[in-house]
Amino acid sequence: MHVDALPTMARRPANPAAWRRTLLAGFVIQLLLIVFVTAMGLQQLRTAADNLNAVVDLHMRKQNLTKTMEVSARQRTIIMFMLTKIDDPFERDELLMQFHQKGSEFATARLALLDMPLNDLEHSLLTMQRQLITHAQPLQDQVIDLIGADANQAAMDLVLRKTIPAQNDVIAVLSQLDTETQRVAQAASLKAREGHVVARFWLYLLSGAALLVGLFVAAVVLHYTHRVNREREQLATQDTLTGLPNRMLFMDRLEQSLIRAKRHETLVGVMFIDLDRFKRINDTLGHASGDQLICGVAGRLRAVVRADDIVARLGGDEFVVVINDVVALTPILQVVEKMLATVAEPYNLDGREIFSSCSIGVSVYPNDGTDSGSLLKNADTAMYHAKNNGRNRFQLYGAAMNAMAEERLQLETDLHHAQARGELIFHYQPQLNLETGHIHAVEALMRWQHPDKGLLVPAAFLNLLEETGEIVNVGRELLQSACHQTAHWHAAGFTSLNVAVNVSGKEFWHDTLLASVCDALEQSGLPAHALQLELTEGIFMEDIDAAVDRILALKALGIVISIDDFGTGYSSLAHLKRFPIDILKIDRYFVGDLPNSPVNKALISSILALCQGLHLGTVAEGVENREQLESLQKLGCQTLQGYFISRPVPVDEVIGLLQCDWQQTLGTIRT
Ligand code: C2E
Ligand code: CA
Ligand code: CA
């Protein structure tokens, strides 16, 4: 069994709403991040700067105070020395005042310093200074007393010997204190500066991160936009089910092909392809199976053409194929034949073997049109004719077709009224049993008694009836009339006469078939075994299991089922045993070449052998001359139908045929 590698479905488009939401979230997150980072950074920097300022301020004040103490101490020593040298009492008072002022400056600075944050060393230096002062202060007081007593020389001696050295000890300690204060200030400012550096580091780090996130978001945006654009382009130009180009892209490509063909003076073949009876598959097996079939057909069509040829789906079960750069019609027709064959191979849809076929209309640039629109329209028209001519075939476009299309429209209108006016009738063609020499059955064949055109055969209107669906009603009424008519012939004494009525695929699959057959039998009183329904192989090809079920239901009524035109479809002899049928009708195609075709002889004789094995009756159709009759007789075929016996005749001529002595008429019949 041929199993299709179905092409994968085209990729689903991205969900733009979801993407938009993601993007928006990305942007909001990024915005928040940037705001957060900036706030954090500024906060950090401000704290670091404040810290630095506070440290600088504190240590400047400390240093100033230490300096003030040191300077005051030095100045007091100098003033004391100067006091020993001055005799003028005013000048002395002035200096004394300065001496005391420096003392109080010293004390104030010291007190202020003690209020400041001090480390252990600073504390112990200040304590040491205090102890040294307690030694130096009384010496200074003695000097001041000596000066007050005008004992300048003694005061000088005291200053030089004791007071200055004592004071120098104090100054040395203060100088140590100054050094320590400076060291502490430097350390603190270094620390504060480090804090500033750390803050700056974080600021750089976080803004770097924000920048990266920004770049990431931007990359996502670019990627998304690119993807959405690509998908939009694809959606606009691609068929979502098969992934093939759609009509829009197809027209565009066809135009490019035509421009190339014009330049190179080559031909372009445009094929309009429509699946036969696709609706039936969709209706009986469901849309999912229909879709699978469409994908299967798409894959097969693609496989038979070259890479630079175009295969597109116009929608539904319609495809178009364009063959580029050819210089003759033959390669185009070869592709067409290949497409017919490949589409007709069986499909495996969910384990079911399904048969399909297609009808192809072909138009060729520049013969049948020079622009894409008219080439497509004409290929479509040709396809329509291929369908009318019996499906599973192709038709080349010709100018005459447009005229035919118009004629067909008129016919369609006429046909619509034909049933009501009783213009659709049956003619009957006899089937002769060679063994008995009697008419064993008559086949009812539809005719249209057209008011202007005269008597029309089914080829002229049956497709129209099928396409409009009117075949179901027409078939029902005609079946009734055939049953009534046959019941009349029975009443007239021809009680073994059977009637064979053709049932098309559309009628066969219609829900009302079983009821119509019941009604016709009941109302006419015809025994069920006298009614034969002629079905074609096509119904088995569409869905063999469903077809078998339907036939079994019909057979349960007691009627006889024959398979018509056997050998023209795609079912092989091997399939035959699966069909629950009673009679097989050998198509006239095999009879036509008798007795000259050994192949057909062999074929007929194997069909006959198989039918015998399966207990099936056989009827050979299309017997047009004595040679064919004799040949069939020799092969062992019992029942014959064809112009040689009789053409289909109007109802009132049937009795004459039934009464005829066939042994005499045909002379050679051996019983
Ligand atoms: P078919 O069922 O194969 O019917 C046999 C066709 O072969 C008939 O064509 C008949 O006139 C023709 N025929 C009979 N003997 C010979 C012969 O010796 N040589 C040649 N060349 N042809 C012969 P007709 O009546 O034109 O019908 C054509 C087809 O239309 C039928 O083919 C059948 O498939 C369909 N048809 C006819 N009547 C009905 C109907 O009432 N309902 C349906 N659904 N289809 C019908
Ligand atoms: Ca038939
Ligand atoms: Ca037939």
Side-chain angles (χ1 to χ4, degrees):
M1 183 188 291
H2 185 110
V3 178
D4 288 280
L6 300 177
T8 46
M9 303 260 273
R11 198 153 57 90
R12 284 193 173 286
N15 178 350
W19 266 105
R20 226 168 281 141
R21 272 201 301 276
T22 318
L23 267 187
L24 199 70
F27 272 124
V28 169
I29 289 173
Q30 209 216 335
L31 213 69
L32 287 176
L33 197 73
I34 289 173
V35 169
F36 174 73
V37 164
T38 315
M40 278 279 289
L42 288 176
Q43 172 68 27
Q44 280 276 335
L45 273 182
R46 207 176 58 207
T47 313
D50 285 355
N51 208 9
L52 195 64
N53 283 343
V55 166
V56 168
D57 189 55
L58 176 80
H59 290 280
M60 286 248 294
R61 274 197 292 136
K62 260 172 85 175
Q63 265 182 305
N64 280 343
L65 291 172
T66 322
K67 267 269 169 309
T68 306
M69 283 170 72
E70 205 184 330
V71 168
S72 309
R74 279 187 203 284
Q75 283 179 344
R76 262 169 71 106
T77 312
I78 293 167
I79 291 170
M80 210 163 36
F81 185 73
M82 281 166 71
L83 277 170
T84 59
K85 298 232 182 249
I86 282 170
D87 297 323
D88 181 19
F90 292 108
E91 252 184 271
R92 195 187 293 159
D93 284 349
E94 176 76 12
L95 280 174
L96 262 176
M97 231 167 70
Q98 281 185 23
F99 181 78
H100 290 302
Q101 194 186 333
K102 291 297 159 194
S104 68
E105 271 175 20
F106 182 93
T108 314
R110 191 173 184 280
L111 272 176
L113 195 60
L114 279 170
D115 268 352
M116 303 227 123
L118 300 171
N119 65 17
D120 288 348
L121 183 60
E122 286 170 325
H123 263 295
S124 66
L125 283 172
L126 276 174
T127 314
M128 205 189 290
Q129 175 265 332
R130 166 123 210 108
Q131 282 162 4
L132 288 172
I133 277 285
T134 52
H135 171 63
Q137 189 63 44
L139 291 173
Q140 288 178 6
D141 292 344
Q142 271 181 44
V143 173
I144 297 300
D145 287 347
L146 286 173
I147 289 169
D150 287 328
N152 280 12
Q153 191 55 47
M156 166 99 82
D157 285 349
L158 191 60
V159 167
L160 290 177
R161 267 188 309 108
K162 289 190 178 168
T163 319
I164 286 181
Q167 191 71 350
N168 278 352
D169 288 347
V170 173
I171 289 168
V173 168
L174 286 177
S175 158
Q176 268 183 57
L177 183 65
D178 186 32
T179 313
E180 175 61 8
T181 319
Q182 263 182 45
R183 191 195 62 75
V184 169
Q186 265 167 11
S189 90
L190 194 72
K191 210 173 140 199
R193 215 166 289 135
E194 271 170 6
H196 198 261
V197 169
V198 169
R200 220 169 40 203
F201 166 76
W202 277 109
L203 190 67
Y204 288 159
L205 186 80
L206 291 177
S207 37
L211 197 72
L212 282 180
V213 171
L215 285 177
F216 176 74
V217 171
V220 169
V221 170
L222 281 180
H223 170 80
Y224 166 73
T225 326
H226 184 68
R227 194 177 140 187
V228 164
N229 281 346
R230 213 178 44 217
E231 275 169 2
R232 248 190 224 142
E233 246 164 54
Q234 276 179 359
L235 272 185
T237 56
Q238 218 179 45
D239 168 45
T240 41
L241 178 65
T242 60
L244 291 177
N246 64 11
R247 183 186 286 267
M248 202 176 92
L249 183 58
F250 165 74
M251 290 308 261
D252 192 54
R253 294 247 185 105
L254 177 57
E255 248 137 51
Q256 288 167 15
S257 294
L258 295 181
I259 292 170
R260 254 200 332 269
K262 195 170 186 178
R263 199 182 308 135
H264 300 150
E265 295 192 339
T266 52
L267 302 179
V268 177
V270 179
M271 295 147 201
F272 200 108
I273 300 154
D274 189 285
L275 294 189
D276 298 331
R277 305 187 180 88
F278 175 69
K279 201 175 162 296
R280 264 228 52 74
I281 290 181
N282 241 357
D283 291 350
T284 46
L285 300 183
H287 285 280
S289 295
D291 284 355
Q292 268 187 54
L293 179 66
I294 292 287
C295 287
V297 171
R300 290 183 190 185
L301 291 179
R302 194 59 264 181
V304 295
V305 299
R306 295 168 304 183
D308 58 341
D309 292 332
I310 309 164
V311 178
R313 181 177 174 224
L314 297 187
D317 58 344
E318 290 178 349
F319 295 89
V320 267
V321 171
V322 170
I323 305 294
N324 289 311
D325 297 325
V326 281
V327 287
L329 207 56
T330 320
I332 297 177
L333 296 185
Q334 276 167 351
V335 174
V336 172
E337 297 277 11
K338 267 195 224 161
M339 290 197 298
L340 282 172
T342 187
V343 171
E345 273 175 43
Y347 297 80
N348 185 356
L349 305 186
D350 299 327
R352 276 173 182 239
E353 193 181 28
I354 301 295
F355 290 83
S356 185
S357 62
C358 64
S359 303
I360 305 180
V362 186
S363 66
V364 178
Y365 167 89
N367 313 23
D368 302 323
T370 48
D371 63 289
S372 55
S374 59
L375 283 165
L376 190 65
K377 185 178 137 267
N378 293 341
D380 187 13
T381 310
M383 185 279 294
Y384 208 54
H385 284 264
K387 278 228 187 289
N388 275 346
N389 293 340
R391 299 189 164 93
N392 191 25
R393 64 189 68 209
F394 73 90
Q395 174 73 56
L396 285 168
Y397 178 78
M401 271 181 198
N402 274 333
M404 280 166 72
E406 269 174 40
E407 196 183 304
R408 189 192 136 92
L409 202 68
Q410 181 58 45
L411 204 65
E412 203 177 308
T413 322
D414 293 346
L415 189 57
H416 189 65
H417 304 291
Q419 191 190 4
R421 295 178 186 149
E423 291 168 3
L424 296 173
I425 53 165
F426 268 148
H427 278 192
Y428 294 90
Q429 187 179 33
Q431 293 175 358
L432 181 66
N433 186 323
L434 291 181
E435 273 177 25
T436 61
H438 288 133
I439 301 297
H440 157 83
V442 285
E443 178 177 2
L445 293 161
M446 202 191 296
R447 298 289 179 265
W448 179 7
Q449 192 66 62
H450 193 279
D452 310 320
K453 297 184 194 310
L455 192 69
L456 298 179
V457 293
F461 61 90
L462 196 64
N463 273 331
L464 268 184
L465 273 184
E466 299 230 349
E467 270 158 34
T468 55
E470 289 183 58
I471 185 71
V472 177
N473 283 330
V474 171
R476 187 188 302 121
E477 274 197 19
L478 285 179
L479 176 69
Q480 293 245 2
S481 78
C483 289
H484 275 288
Q485 188 53 56
T486 312
H488 281 305
W489 288 320
H490 278 207
F494 303 98
T495 49
S496 60
L497 183 71
N498 301 319
V499 67
V501 177
N502 292 285
V503 172
S504 70
K506 199 156 221 159
E507 295 172 89
F508 176 79
W509 291 112
H510 202 269
D511 294 339
T512 58
L513 177 71
L514 201 67
S516 303
V517 174
C518 278
D519 287 353
L521 290 173
E522 227 168 75
Q523 287 173 22
S524 63
L526 185 72
H529 64 79
L531 176 64
Q532 299 176 3
L533 293 188
E534 296 196 358
L535 313 173
T536 54
E537 286 165 282
I539 57 159
F540 295 106
M541 293 186 193
E542 281 181 34
D543 182 349
I544 187 160
D545 296 330
V548 166
D549 287 350
R550 266 182 172 234
I551 291 175
L552 291 176
L554 286 167
K555 284 184 67 168
L557 299 175
I559 65 167
V560 174
I561 300 291
S562 44
I563 186 155
D564 205 356
D565 305 339
F566 188 79
T568 54
Y570 285 89
S571 58
S572 65
L573 283 177
H575 284 123
L576 197 55
K577 60 177 178 298
R578 295 180 65 189
F579 303 164
I581 55 166
D582 307 296
I583 296 171
L584 182 146
K585 295 187 79 174
I586 301 168
D587 193 74
R588 69 165 178 270
Y589 171 83
F590 301 104
V591 175
D593 285 344
L594 293 181
N596 302 322
S597 162
V599 176
N600 283 354
K601 268 192 194 168
L603 229 141
I604 291 175
S605 95
S606 55
I607 292 177
L608 290 174
L610 194 71
C611 287
Q612 213 165 16
L614 296 169
H615 304 293
L616 301 184
T618 47
V619 178
E621 295 185 303
V623 184
E624 293 182 342
N625 53 49
R626 183 172 299 277
E627 290 74 32
Q628 289 169 349
L629 182 142
E630 284 173 354
S631 187
L632 286 162
Q633 197 171 27
K634 271 189 209 141
L635 287 168
C637 195
Q638 278 181 9
T639 312
L640 306 184
Q641 179 181 351
Y643 294 168
F644 185 60
I645 296 142
S646 166
R647 288 188 172 258
V649 295
V651 62
D652 47 352
E653 292 177 26
V654 173
I655 291 276
L657 295 176
L658 296 178
Q659 288 166 338
C660 176
D661 180 351
W662 288 98
Q663 303 218 1
Q664 198 188 9
T665 310
L666 298 175
T668 60
I669 301 175
R670 287 173 293 158
T671 52

